[in-house]
């Protein structure tokens, strides 16, 4: 007897994570419906590798419109739903808090209600975020201050959001738990630490750095090249590759029972360390002559430290990251140098 072909639906289909997830699912013989907002410009470049695949289709929809969500989910009855749609930039959320809440919190409720009413057997994955912890972390008493891993966040660390983005994401995270418990909907959330790739949006600090290096390289490392402006370069983040993260998302939805998991690398690096690694890759050991600190780029309420533990995901899912921090940074730099030179 042939195994049933699974159908997946991805909200926010044109984003970084969605593009890697689409590639992964197609390799596993899924049929995919990607949902994207209507825009006046073409923003599907991340989907170039999948958009012409016969098992991938792209439809227009908007998670802030419940009738749109109801129609799409009831029509397609997907086995798996991945909600990767979000207003995902923390700094923007301080300027657009209402819109951020509509997309990141209410949009999730629209998906859950549509599943409850029209497709109750669908499994739902929600992209939660390490920003839920804000400035909060736990301390491992078995380690000393000399150990970089004394501070951490995991599934048991108390949430303390420090931005409108994180507040909205916390509302979505709690909605997943509520619908799971109240309506027996198969719904889980991935508490994902920062994850990057050459497909990362240009407004995020990692991509700002690697794109700058691409342009700087194209200039022949002109000493008069305009400086890169950054905010808090002492902030520590736990950076992974998006490819590792989407593999973990898929693994969560293959479980018999829904459960929330932290996915991360387990190691924190400051923005300053990201700069070190990226600039050294092109032979520059003193990046300070190219970088200016701009106080306007600081957040109104900073999150200084995020470093996770993925013990539970490793134990129960068999998941762990495969791409190192150094390899991630080098890949991003190399591709941005290539893009500036040839595109």
């Amino acid at each position: 007897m042939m195994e049933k072909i699974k159908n997946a639906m991805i909200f926010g289909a044109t984003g970084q994570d969605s593009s890697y997830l689409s590639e992964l699912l197609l390799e596993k013989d899924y049929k995919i419906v990607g949902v994207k907002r209507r825009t006046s410009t073409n923003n599907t470049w991340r989907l170039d590798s999948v958009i012409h695949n016969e098992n991938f289709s792209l439809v227009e929809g908007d998670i802030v419109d419940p009738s749109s969500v109801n129609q799409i989910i009831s029509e397609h009855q997907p086995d798996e739903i991945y909600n990767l749609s979000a207003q995902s930039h923390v700094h923007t959320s301080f300027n657009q808090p209402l819109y951020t809440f509509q997309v990141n919190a209410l949009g999730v409720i629209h998906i859950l209600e549509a599943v409850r009413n029209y497709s109750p057997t669908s499994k739902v994955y929600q992209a939660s975020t390490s920003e839920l912890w804000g400035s909060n972390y736990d301390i491992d008493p078995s380690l000393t201050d000399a150990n970089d891993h004394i501070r951490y966040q995991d599934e048991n660390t108390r949430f303390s959001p420090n931005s409108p983005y994180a507040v909205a994401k916390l509302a979505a995270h709690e909605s997943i738990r509520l619908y799971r418990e109240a309506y027996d909907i198969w719904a889980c959330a991935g508490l994902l630490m920062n994850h990057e790739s050459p497909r990362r949006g240009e407004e995020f600090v990692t991509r700002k750095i690697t794109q700058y290096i691409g342009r700087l390289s194209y200039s022949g490392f002109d000493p008069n090249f305009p400086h890169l402006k950054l905010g808090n370069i002492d902030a520590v983040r736990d950076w992974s590759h998006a490819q590792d993260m989407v593999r973990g998302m898929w693994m969560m939805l293959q479980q018999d029972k829904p459960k929330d998991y932290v996915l991360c690398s387990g190691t924190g690096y400051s923005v300053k360390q990201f700069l070190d690694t990226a600039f050294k890759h092109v032979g520059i050991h003193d990046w300070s002559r190219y970088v200016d600190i701009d106080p306007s780029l600081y957040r109104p309420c900073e999150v200084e430290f995020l470093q996770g533990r993925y013990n539970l995901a490793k134990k129960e899912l068999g998941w762990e990251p495969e791409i190192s921090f150094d390899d991630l940074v080098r890949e991003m730099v190399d591709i941005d140098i290539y893009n500036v030179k040839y595109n």
Side-chain angles (χ1 to χ4, degrees):
M1 183 176 179
M2 293 184 61
E3 186 175 344
K4 176 182 179 291
I5 295 175
K6 284 189 176 181
N7 298 293
M9 179 172 288
I10 304 174
F11 284 89
T14 59
Q16 167 192 256
D17 293 5
S18 301
S19 66
Y20 286 112
L21 178 62
S22 295
E23 291 170 353
L24 176 71
L25 295 180
L26 288 173
E27 288 174 4
K28 297 181 180 296
D29 297 323
Y30 277 67
K31 288 189 174 181
I32 302 170
V33 175
V35 184
K36 66 177 288 289
R37 280 191 308 116
R38 186 188 181 283
T39 56
S40 57
T41 57
N42 186 357
N43 64 344
T44 62
W45 63 271
R46 293 184 180 92
L47 300 174
D48 285 348
S49 66
V50 303
I51 200 163
H52 299 298
N53 190 299
E54 64 180 3
N55 288 326
F56 181 90
S57 60
L58 200 58
V59 301
E60 289 186 355
D62 194 335
I63 65 168
V64 301
D65 178 357
S67 62
S68 170
V69 175
N70 289 343
Q71 186 271 324
I72 292 169
I73 289 179
S74 62
E75 176 183 349
H76 294 281
Q77 297 286 305
D79 299 305
E80 298 174 3
I81 298 173
Y82 297 84
N83 180 35
L84 308 184
S85 180
Q87 189 300 97
S88 58
H89 198 257
V90 174
H91 196 277
T92 298
S93 76
F94 284 98
N95 298 321
Q96 301 181 42
L98 179 58
Y99 174 71
T100 298
F101 198 86
Q102 288 173 332
V103 175
N104 294 2
L106 297 182
V108 177
I109 293 176
H110 296 157
I111 291 173
L112 290 169
E113 277 291 289
V115 168
R116 183 169 78 90
N117 291 315
Y118 303 109
S119 188
T121 62
S122 296
K123 290 184 173 183
V124 179
Y125 171 85
Q126 164 64 15
S128 285
T129 169
S130 56
E131 292 285 336
L132 297 187
W133 291 300
S135 300
N136 204 31
Y137 54 80
D138 291 322
I139 294 178
D140 189 334
S142 68
L143 301 176
T144 66
D145 288 337
N147 192 301
D148 290 339
H149 294 77
I150 187 172
R151 295 184 293 169
Y152 66 93
Q153 290 98 359
D154 68 7
E155 291 84 1
N156 298 313
T157 304
R158 182 176 58 84
F159 296 135
S160 182
N162 271 11
S163 65
Y165 167 79
V167 168
K169 279 287 194 176
L170 180 55
H173 187 82
E174 288 298 313
S175 296
I176 291 292
R177 178 194 58 79
L178 175 63
Y179 275 71
R180 188 167 61 208
E181 295 177 359
Y183 303 114
D184 200 30
I185 287 175
W186 203 110
C188 70
L191 288 153
L192 273 54
M193 290 282 177
N194 292 60
H195 45 289
E196 318 297 315
S197 78
R199 302 175 192 176
R200 188 60 146 150
E202 297 175 7
E203 69 275 20
F204 291 90
V205 65
T206 54
R207 190 77 195 290
K208 283 178 67 175
I209 293 169
T210 61
Q211 272 202 326
Y212 177 85
I213 292 173
R215 293 191 293 267
L216 179 64
S217 173
Y218 190 71
S219 78
F221 299 99
D222 180 355
N224 298 314
F225 196 76
H227 287 191
L228 171 65
K229 296 185 183 297
L230 296 175
N232 180 11
I233 63 173
D234 294 315
V236 172
R237 294 293 183 269
D238 185 328
W239 278 304
S240 298
H241 199 295
Q243 281 183 303
D244 281 333
M245 295 302 205
V246 301
R247 179 167 47 84
M249 297 175 191
W250 175 79
M251 293 171 79
M252 288 185 206
L253 262 64
Q254 308 319 301
Q255 306 306 301
D256 292 332
K257 294 182 179 180
K259 196 171 186 178
D260 305 333
Y261 292 91
V262 171
L263 300 183
C264 61
S265 75
T267 303
Y269 294 90
S270 67
V271 177
K272 191 182 296 183
Q273 288 172 300
F274 193 103
L275 283 164
D276 286 340
T277 303
F279 274 89
K280 284 178 181 177
H281 187 51
V282 293
I284 297 175
H285 293 266
D286 179 15
W287 46 261
S288 62
R289 66 183 187 270
Y290 293 108
V291 177
D292 291 334
I293 302 303
D294 183 350
S296 71
L297 297 178
Y298 276 66
R299 298 181 187 178
C301 190
E302 283 287 341
V303 173
E304 296 289 348
F305 177 87
L306 292 171
Q307 179 174 284
R309 284 187 175 179
Y310 60 89
N311 299 20
L312 188 65
K314 182 177 181 179
K315 177 183 177 182
E316 297 188 0
L317 302 178
W319 179 92
E320 55 187 323
E322 297 176 352
I323 302 171
S324 71
F325 173 78
D326 285 353
D327 286 345
L328 164 66
V329 178
R330 287 193 288 259
E331 180 192 4
M332 292 179 69
V333 171
D334 287 344
I335 291 183
D336 272 327
I337 289 175
Y338 178 90
N339 286 341
V340 171
K341 188 174 181 179
Y342 294 106
N343 294 337

